[in-house]
Amino acid sequence: MQRLCELERIDREQRNVERLIRMARFSQVKSLDIFDFAARASINKPLVLEPARCEWIEKRQNCIALEPSGTGKTHVALALGRAACQKGYNVAFTTAAVLVHQLMEARDERRLAERRYRGDAAPS
């Protein structure tokens, strides 16, 4: 009976991770296992692997990648998002261009200020 309960728990966890990955709407499936660090000598491998532990999320910190075009920022972002899903975090993947477009639309429709005020409300 204990083995059956353990199998059920594992199955539920796997389905939850799959649901989180679907909801994140990743544009591609990427992982750090297939990232070619050798081809990108300027990238510090431990510095890239460290955020995959998701401690920065737990500490409510930002993780920003600033590199020239074609250096693998999107690959790393997709891999970090997937790692976060595997740890049970909700992820919303988007590109900077889409985010800027959404923010401009919200500003034009005067939804940006309303959202900000809702988010700044003190807990009761």
Side-chain angles (χ1 to χ4, degrees), residues 76-92:
V76 170
L78 289 164
L80 293 179
R82 188 173 184 84
C85 288
Q86 291 169 335
K87 292 189 181 285
Y89 290 103
N90 290 313
V91 174

Side-chain angles (χ1 to χ4, degrees), residues 10-22 85 87-90:
I10 291 169
D11 183 57
R12 285 183 184 196
E13 287 176 2
Q14 182 60 36
R15 283 183 291 157
N16 186 49
V17 168
E18 290 170 1
R19 180 185 57 79
L20 289 170
I21 290 171
R22 271 192 319 275
C85 288
K87 292 189 181 285
Y89 290 103
N90 290 313

